[in-house]
C-alpha cells in the first residue's frame, strides 16, 4: 500500500517539478507566452491516468501539462515543445497550451474553453465502430461548465450512452473570477442529473479518491453504462497563468489551500504511517533531478526549423 | 464499374453517400434528421435502412455534431456530418475553424481530421435572413479546410466522393434550390476524382465569367442571351474553391481580356474579391476593369419581391457583362 | 368564469383560424417558403400572453404566429407580412419565420434554434437599469433544450437572478425526430435544477394551467426571485412545416393528439358546464370571420416596394 | 472640454470607457473578468469601482454575453461587451451575424442593436493557433456590422467613443501587443468623431501602402527603411474597415501608381483582396500589379521562431514593397 502511495507521490512530484521548472524557464526567458500551471491540482491527472488503458483517449485543456506527463508523454519532449524545439512533441507548433501527443494516448490540450468535450464524444463514438474498448476522458474547469459546447457534449454522450468520463477540475476560479459568483448553485456535479447521468463531487486533492472514481466511471462507460461527470474539488496554488497578480485571493486563502494541497497531504500521510522521512523526501529529489535532466536535454536541442513552418497543413 | 444513371442533384448526393458508405467502412453519416427521416430534403434517404447505426439522428447540437466529428475522425473514422443550413454553422464555428482546421498542422500530421461537412446555403423564395446567407468566403479564409460547391448532379456526386476520400476536413456546400432540379445523366461508381480543377461550361472569346454554386446556371442563361447580341462569354465554373484553380482563371481572362466574377454572396469580402485580386496581382492585361456581381451588402429580406431585387439573376448578370464588354 | 373561458376559446380560435388561413394561402400560392404552424399548441401563447404586461418582452421562434397574435399584433399586419406586403409588420422583410413587432410587445421570432434565449436575458438585464418592471419571456421547443445557447442563457439568468421565464413548448418532436430519442431523461423541466432555478412540467394544452404558471413565474421574476423554466407539454396536430409528410407518426398517434388538443378540450368543458353549443360555436365562427377579413385586407395591400430593399441596414 | 493626457493604447481604451460610462448612462460594460478584476489586460480597470454594477463579470458563456447584449441593446441599453480574444467569437458567431446584424434591417429600423463588441486579436509571441487569428475579414463580409481596428492610442480612444455612440453593432478589434506600448499624447474629452475615414501616416509618391492594425507600425518602419533607398512610401492606415474609405485609397493609388495592402491576416480571403479588387474595379491605372502582404495560408505555430517565419515584419514588407517599386 505504501508502495503505491510512494508511486503516486513520485508521479505528483514529477508534475510539480515539471511545472516549477517551466515557471523558472518562463520567468528567465527561454519559454515565452501564456503558461497555465497545474500546481496544486496534481492528484487529478495522476489518479486518473493511472487507471486509463492505452486505447483510451484523453483530451485536456491549456492547463494540461500534468495530464500529458501522467499519461506518459516524456518530460523532455514536453519541455522541448514549450521551448519551441524541433524535438518537441509537436516541434513547437502547439506550445504550452495546445500540444498533442496521440502516440502516448494524449489527444491534446485545447485552448478554447469547453471545446474538448464534444471532441471526446467523437473519440468515444468511434469506439462503437472500430472494435476497440475505448473510453474517452475529457478534462475541463469549473468555468467551462457554463460553456454551450460542454452542455451539448454532455447531452450527446448521455443520449447515446457514449463511454465518456467528464472530469471537471473545480479549482474555484475561472481565470480571475470565482465560479461561485457565476452560478446559482455551486455543486456542479448536480448538473449531471439534467442529462440523466451520474455526477459525483469528489475530493480532487485525494489521489486515491480520484483513482477510485475514475476507474468506476470507466468501468461503467465500458460496460455500456454511458457517461459520468466527476467534479474534482481542488485549488491552484499558483495564478491562472504565470504573471497573474492574484489580487482576487481572499485573506487566509492561500494558507488554507496550502494546508490541503495533494502533495503535502500525501507526504504527511506517508510519514504518519511510518514511512521514513528520507525515503519520502527522496521522491521529491528524484523527480526534481529527472526534470532538471529533461529540461537540460530539451534546452540543448535545436530550435524548430523555420523552413518547415508551412508544412503539414494538408495531406 | 462505372455506370450511368438519370439522377437529379439531390439523388446524386444520395448515390454518392450510398457508394461511400459501401466502399469506406469507416464512414458515418449523421446530423439532425438525417437518419430515420432521411434528411429534411430527403438526401440521406435509405442510408439508415441499408447501413444501420452508421447513419443516425442527433440532437440539435451543432457543436456536438461537429466536435464529435473531429474526435471520431482523429480516431480513424471518416464522419460525414450535415449542418442543415450553412447559417447554422455559426453557432459552432469554433469546431470547424479552431478545431478541425488545426488538427493536422499542430500535430505535424500525426493526427488528422478526415471529416466531411455537408451543408447547403443560399436564398430560396420566402427564406428569411437567417436562412439565406452564402458563407463560403468565411470558410475560404481558413487555412486547413477544403471547400467545394457543386452545381450539377455529376459534380454533386463526384465532389462528395472526392471530399470523403480526402484526409482533411472538407466542406461540401450544396444548394437546396438545386436538389430537385432536372435529372441528368450521371456517371456513378467511377474512380475518385482528384481534388480541384475548374470547368469550362461554355467557350467564348469576349469575356471570362467565373462563377460557382447556384449562380452558374444563371450565368449560362445570361451567356445564352448575350450570344444573341454577339457577345461570346467564356463561362468558367470553379466548383472547387479550395484548392482554387487560379491558373485556369488567369489563362481564360488572359485570352478574353475581360473578367467578371459572379456569386450569390454579398459582394464586399466575398470570394470574388480574391479572384479579382489574384488576376490583378498576376498582372493579366485586361481591356476593362474587372467586375464583381453578387448580392449587394444588405441582409436578405424574406419577401420574394424584395429578395429578387437583390439577388443576381440572368438579366442582371447579362446587363452587367454587356456593359463590361461594350464599355 | 365561463366568460374568461369563452375569451380563451376565442383567443385560441383566432390563432387556429389564422394558421389555417395561412396554410390555405401557402398551399394556394400567395405565401411562399417554409411555414411552421402552431396548430395544437394554441393554449400556451394564449395562456401566457394573457398575463404579460405591456412592459414585458417576448421572444418567440419561427413557430411564433400564435405568440404574436396572442400578444396583440393585428392579424392583418401579420398576414401582410407573410404575403410580402408593404403593410406587413416588417414590410415583408421578416416573413413567416422571423418577424418582429416591438410596438406590440412582440420582440420577434427567431429562426435559429435557441438563439432567442440569450437575447431575452439581455432584455431582462436592461430592466435592471432602466427602471422598468420588465420581465422577459423566451419561447423555444423541446429540441432547443440541447442547444448550447439555451444552456448559457439559463445559467446566465439564474446566476444573475434575471427576470426571465423560459417557456419550453415540448411538442415531443424536434422537426422530424422524437425528443425522447435525443435525451436520456425526458423530463426537460428537471434540467432547471442544474441552474438552481425552479422548473415545472405543466399541461400545455390547458390554458388555465399555462396562465397560472406563467403568472406565478412572472411574479417570482419581478420580485427578484430569478428565472423559471416551464416545460409545457403539447403536441402539433400538423407537420413541422407545411409540406411535412409526417412519416414519423406512430399508429394511433394523431387520434390521441386530437383527443386532447386544447381547443376541443376547452369546448367540451364549456359544453359540459352548460354553456349553450351555439354560443360556443359562435366563437369559432367569429374568429374565422375575423381572419377572413384580415387576410382579404392583407391580400388587397400593395406588395413591398423593391426600391426599398436596401434601406434600413444602418442608422 | 478636451484635454491632453499621456496614455498608452490600453490606457486610452480605459479612458474612453470611463468617459462613455460617464456621459452615456445607458452604457453597460461586461464580459469575462472585466468587472472586479478589471480585465485580463487591465483595460477595464476602475470601471466597477466607479460605476458599480454597470460593469460586471460574466460566466464563460460567449453566446450569453453577445446574445444578452443584443437583447439589452434592443431595449435601449448601450452594452459594451468584451470577447477576450477574437478567436473565441467563433463559439458564438451566431449572435453577431444572425442576430445583431439583422435587428435594424428586418424590423425596418423599429428595433436597433446599438452594442459595441470589444475584442483583440493577432499573434503575440508564444500564442497558439487558437489565440492568434486575425478574423476581421469574417466580420467585414457581414452587412449590418461596423468594424474598426485602431492602432494608435488616439484612435484607440476616438474609435471606441465613436463606436459606442453609433446606433448599430460595432466591432472594435484591438490588439494585445499594442496595449502596453509607448505613452503618447492623447486628446480626450473631445467631440465624438464621425465614423470612417483613413489616415495618411506618411506621405510619399512612389507607392501606396494600405494597412491596419498591428501592421501599421511595421509598415511605417518599412517605409523609413525604404526612404533610405530613395523609395517614398505613402502609408495609408484605414482604421475603419466598415465603413471603408475607398475614395482615399483610390486617390492615393492613383497618385503613386502602385499599391500594396498589408495585413496580419492570412492572405487568401483577407480584406486585402477586397481593397485590391476595388482598386482594380475602379480602373485606377497602376504601373505594376498590386501586391498583398499578409500571413501565408497556414495555421499559426506557437514557437516564436516558427511564427516569425510567417508573420509580416518590417523587413519582409520593405522587401516586397521594394520589389514592387523596382519591378
Ligand atoms: C471560449 C473561450 N472563452 C474564453 C476563453 C479565455 N479563458 C481561458 S481560460 C479561462 C478560464 C477557464 O476557467 P476554468 O474552466 O475554471 O478552468 P481553469 O483555468 O480554472 O483550469 C478563460 C475564460 C477561452 N480560452 N475560450
Ligand atoms: C441552430 C439551428 N439548428 C438547426 C435548425 C433547424 N431547425 C429548425 S426547427 C428545428 C427543430 C426544433 O425543434 P424544437 O426546438 O422542438 O421546436 P419545434 O419546431 O418542435 O417547435 C430545427 C432542427 C435551426 N433553425 N437552427
Ligand atoms: Mg477553474
Ligand atoms: Mg419540438
Amino acid at each position: 500500500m505504501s508502495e503505491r502511495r510512494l508511486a503516486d507521490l513520485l508521479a505528483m512530484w514529477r508534475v510539480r517539478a515539471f511545472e516549477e521548472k517551466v515557471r523558472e524557464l518562463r520567468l528567465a526567458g527561454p519559454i515565452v507566452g501564456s503558461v497555465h500551471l497545474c500546481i496544486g491540482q496534481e492528484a487529478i491527472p495522476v489518479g486518473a491516468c493511472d487507471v486509463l488503458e492505452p486505447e483510451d483517449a484523453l483530451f485536456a485543456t491549456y492547463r494540461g501539462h500534468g495530464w500529458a506527463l501522467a499519461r506518459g508523454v516524456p518530460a523532455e519532449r514536453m519541455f522541448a515543445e514549450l521551448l519551441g524545439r524541433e524535438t518537441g512533441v509537436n516541434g513547437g507548433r502547439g506550445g504550452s497550451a495546445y500540444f498533442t501527443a496521440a502516440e502516448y494516448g494524449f489527444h491534446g490540450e485545447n485552448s478554447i474553453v469547453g471545446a474538448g468535450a464534444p471532441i471526446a464524444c467523437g473519440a468515444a463514438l468511434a469506439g462503437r465502430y472500430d472494435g476497440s474498448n475505448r473510453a474517452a476522458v475529457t478534462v475541463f474547469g469549473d468555468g467551462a461548465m457554463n460553456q454551450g459546447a460542454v452542455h451539448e457534449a454532455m447531452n450527446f454522450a448521455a443520449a447515446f450512452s457514449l463511454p465518456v468520463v467528464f472530469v471537471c477540475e473545480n479549482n474555484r476560479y475561472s481565470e480571475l473570477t470565482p465560479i461561485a459568483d457565476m452560478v446559482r448553485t455551486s455543486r456542479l456535479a448536480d448538473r449531471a442529473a439534467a442529462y440523466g447521468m451520474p455526477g459525483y463531487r469528489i475530493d480532487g486533492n485525494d489521489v486515491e479518491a480520484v483513482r477510485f472514481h475514475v476507474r468506476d466511471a470507466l468501468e461503467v462507460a465500458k460496460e455500456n453504462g454511458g457517461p459520468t461527470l466527476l467534479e474534482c474539488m481542488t485549488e491552484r496554488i499558483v495564478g491562472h497563468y504565470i504573471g497573474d497578480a492574484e489580487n482576487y485571493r481572499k485573506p487566509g486563502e492561500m494558507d488554507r489551500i496550502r494546508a490541503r494541497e495533494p502533495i503535502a497531504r500525501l507526504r504527511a500521510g506517508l510519514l504518519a504511517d511510518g514511512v521514513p522521512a528520507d525515503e519520502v523526501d527522496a521522491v521529491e529529489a528524484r523527480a526534481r533531478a529527472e526534470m532538471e535532466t529533461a529540461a537540460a536535454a530539451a534546452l540543448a536541442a535545436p530550435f524548430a526549423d523555420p523552413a518547415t513552418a508551412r508544412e503539414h497543413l494538408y495531406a | 464499374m462505372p455506370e450511368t444513371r438519370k439522377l437529379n442533384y439531390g439523388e446524386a448526393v444520395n448515390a454518392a453517400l450510398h457508394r461511400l458508405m459501401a466502399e469506406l467502412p469507416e464512414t458515418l453519416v449523421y446530423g439532425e434528421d438525417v437518419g430515420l427521416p432521411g434528411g429534411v430534403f430527403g438526401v440521406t434517404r435509405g442510408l439508415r435502412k441499408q447501413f444501420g447505426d452508421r447513419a443516425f439522428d442527433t440532437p440539435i447540437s451543432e457543436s456536438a455534431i461537429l466536435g464529435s466529428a473531429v474526435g471520431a475522425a482523429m480516431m480513424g473514422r471518416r464522419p460525414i456530418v450535415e449542418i442543415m443550413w450553412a447559417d447554422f454553422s455559426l453557432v459552432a464555428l469554433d469546431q470547424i475553424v479552431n478545431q478541425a482546421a488545426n488538427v493536422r498542422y499542430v500535430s505535424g500530421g500525426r493526427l488528422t481530421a478526415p471529416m466531411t461537412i455537408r451543408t447547403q446555403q443560399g436564398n430560396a423564395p420566402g427564406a428569411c435572413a437567417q436562412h439565406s446567407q452564402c458563407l463560403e468566403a468565411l470558410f475560404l479564409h481558413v487555412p486547413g479546410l477544403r471547400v467545394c460547391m457543386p452545381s450539377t448532379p455529376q459534380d454533386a456526386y463526384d465532389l462528395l466522393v472526392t471530399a470523403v476520400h480526402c484526409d482533411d476536413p472538407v466542406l461540401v456546400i450544396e444548394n437546396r434550390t438545386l436538389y430537385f432540379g432536372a435529372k441528368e445523366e450521371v456517371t456513378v461508381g467511377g474512380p475518385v476524382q482528384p481534388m480541384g480543377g475548374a470547368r469550362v461550361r461554355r467557350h467564348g472569346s469576349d469575356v471570362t465569367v467565373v462563377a460557382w454554386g447556384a449562380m452558374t446556371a444563371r450565368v449560362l442563361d445570361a451567356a445564352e442571351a448575350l450570344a444573341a447580341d454577339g457577345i461570346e462569354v467564356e463561362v468558367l465554373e470553379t466548383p472547387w474553391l479550395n484548392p482554387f484553380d487560379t491558373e485556369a482563371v488567369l489563362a481564360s481572362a488572359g485570352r478574353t481580356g475581360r473578367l467578371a466574377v459572379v456569386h450569390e454572396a454579398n459582394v464586399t469580402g466575398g470570394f470574388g474579391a480574391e479572384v479579382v485580386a489574384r488576376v490583378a496581382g498576376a498582372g493579366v492585361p485586361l481591356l476593362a476593369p474587372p467586375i464583381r456581381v453578387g448580392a449587394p451588402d444588405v441582409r436578405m429580406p424574406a419577401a420574394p419581391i424584395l429578395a429578387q431585387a437583390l439577388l443576381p439573376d440572368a438579366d442582371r448578370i447579362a446587363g452587367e457583362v454587356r456593359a463590361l464588354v461594350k464599355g
Side-chain angles (χ1 to χ4, degrees), chain A residues 57 89-90 93 98 100 103 107 110 112 115 118-119 122-123 126 129-130 134 152 155 160 309 311-315, chain B residues 53 57 61-64 67-68 71-72 75 77 94-95 98-99 102 104-106 108 110-111 144-146 168 242:
Chain A
V89 277
N90 301 133
R93 284 154 178 247
Y98 190 36
T100 175
E103 58 277 37
H107 296 86
N110 209 309
I112 301 295
I119 299 176
Y129 304 94
D130 65 15
R134 179 186 310 115
E152 294 192 6
N155 180 68
F160 297 153
E311 292 173 4
H312 296 299
L313 183 65
Y314 294 111
Chain B
D53 65 6
D57 300 310
S61 303
E62 281 77 7
S63 291
S68 64
M75 296 292 149
R77 296 297 97 188
D94 172 65
Q95 289 292 347
N98 288 331
Q99 310 300 334
N102 279 323
R104 177 184 294 276
Y105 181 79
V106 168
R110 273 179 301 255
L111 274 176
L145 305 178
R146 298 296 193 184
D168 290 311
N242 180 350

Side-chain angles (χ1 to χ4, degrees), chain A residues 49-106:
Chain A
C49 289
D50 191 39
V51 292
L52 284 178
E53 297 294 332
E55 70 266 21
D56 296 330
L58 172 59
F59 298 86
T61 69
Y62 47 88
R63 201 182 301 289
H65 306 165
W67 285 93
L69 262 187
R71 187 68 168 138
V73 184
E76 180 185 331
R77 299 200 57 201
M78 286 171 52
F79 279 122
E81 182 62 27
L82 274 61
L83 288 159
R85 309 296 161 133
E86 207 174 85
T87 53
V89 277
N90 301 133
R93 284 154 178 247
S96 166
Y98 190 36
F99 69 77
T100 175
E103 58 277 37
Y104 297 99
F106 182 72

Side-chain angles (χ1 to χ4, degrees), chain A residues 187-262:
Chain A
R187 287 182 64 94
L188 302 175
D190 293 351
R191 292 193 178 183
Y195 311 103
M197 68 171 161
Y200 305 97
R201 174 179 266 212
I202 69 174
D203 183 346
N205 285 354
D206 178 349
V207 65
E208 202 49 64
V210 173
R211 179 187 284 115
F212 171 82
H213 280 281
V214 173
R215 181 166 43 214
D216 188 50
L218 285 170
E219 277 170 16
V220 169
K222 292 187 183 200
E223 283 160 4
N224 260 318
T228 299
L229 169 62
L230 297 178
E231 180 190 11
C232 305
M233 303 308 296
T234 185
E235 263 149 327
R236 291 191 252 109
I237 310 183
V238 292
H240 171 68
Y241 53 89
I242 296 176
D244 177 359
E246 299 182 66
N247 293 325
Y248 46 85
R249 300 287 193 186
K250 287 158 201 81
E253 179 173 330
M254 289 310 296
D255 294 336
R256 208 192 57 231
I257 289 175
R258 267 184 246 280
R260 56 192 192 198
E261 62 100 342

Side-chain angles (χ1 to χ4, degrees), chain B residues 5-12 151-154 177-186:
Chain B
R5 283 199 231 153
K6 281 280 234 180
L7 302 173
N8 69 19
Y9 184 99
E11 290 163 348
S151 85
T152 64
Q154 185 68 58
T177 67
L178 301 177
Y179 284 135
F180 306 102
K183 286 185 199 276
E184 295 179 12
E185 303 262 301
V186 176

Side-chain angles (χ1 to χ4, degrees), chain A residues 36-37 41 61-63 110-115 140-145 147 169-177 179 236 240, chain B residues 94:
Chain A
H36 307 82
L37 303 176
Q41 307 188 181
T61 69
Y62 47 88
R63 201 182 301 289
N110 209 309
S111 272
I112 301 295
V113 167
F140 46 81
D142 44 282
M145 289 290 295
Q147 180 69 215
E169 300 181 306
N170 186 342
N171 61 9
R172 300 177 196 274
Y173 286 96
S174 318
E175 291 205 338
L176 323 176
T177 298
I179 184 67
R236 291 191 252 109
H240 171 68
Chain B
D94 172 65

Side-chain angles (χ1 to χ4, degrees), chain B residues 77-317:
Chain B
R77 296 297 97 188
R78 213 168 265 275
I80 307 167
V81 293
E82 179 175 304
I83 297 296
M84 205 184 282
W85 253 257
D87 312 71
F88 311 159
S89 69
L90 300 179
V91 301
L93 208 58
D94 172 65
Q95 289 292 347
I96 303 178
V97 177
N98 288 331
Q99 310 300 334
N102 279 323
V103 173
R104 177 184 294 276
Y105 181 79
V106 168
S107 71
R110 273 179 301 255
L111 274 176
T112 60
M115 59 191 268
T116 300
I117 303 167
R118 285 184 49 251
T119 189
Q120 62 80 30
Q121 71 175 19
N123 181 258
C128 77
Q130 297 171 324
H131 281 63
S132 293
Q133 294 167 103
C134 291
L135 298 178
E136 71 271 17
L138 271 54
F139 299 108
L140 291 166
H141 190 42
V142 181
L145 305 178
R146 298 296 193 184
V147 182
C148 65
M149 265 175 83
S151 85
T152 64
Q154 185 68 58
D155 271 346
Y157 180 89
D158 286 337
L159 272 54
L160 183 54
V161 170
T162 299
V164 175
H165 277 268
C166 172
D167 288 333
D168 290 311
V170 185
L171 261 113
V172 181
I173 305 177
E174 302 164 0
N175 186 297
R176 69 190 173 288
T177 67
L178 301 177
Y179 284 135
F180 306 102
K183 286 185 199 276
E184 295 179 12
E185 303 262 301
V186 176
T187 304
V188 302
V192 180
Q193 303 294 314
M195 200 157 34
R199 319 268 187 261
V200 180
R201 296 294 183 197
R202 183 183 178 112
H203 289 276
S205 51
D206 294 323
V207 54
T208 297
V209 180
V210 178
W212 51 85
M215 290 300 107
T216 307
R218 299 191 190 181
V219 168
L220 287 168
D221 287 348
E224 194 67 34
L226 289 165
D229 294 1
I231 297 173
E232 290 305 330
V233 180
E234 179 135 308
V235 179
L236 195 66
E237 184 187 7
T238 50
W240 280 102
L241 294 167
N242 180 350
F244 185 77
D245 192 347
T246 307
E247 289 315 310
V249 175
L250 298 182
S252 177
R255 233 170 10 243
T256 63
R258 294 187 186 89
L259 174 69
V261 188
V262 182
H263 55 53
E264 187 180 334
N266 299 113
V267 170
T268 293
F271 198 68
E274 179 66 33
V275 176
V276 167
R278 288 189 186 186
V279 172
V284 175
L286 296 178
L287 303 166
I291 65 167
R292 292 179 283 158
V293 181
D297 296 332
V298 70
R299 310 305 305 173
M300 194 52 63
I305 196 170
L306 296 175
Q308 277 156 22
L310 301 172
L311 293 162
D313 59 13
D315 270 3
R316 190 179 131 207
I317 296 165

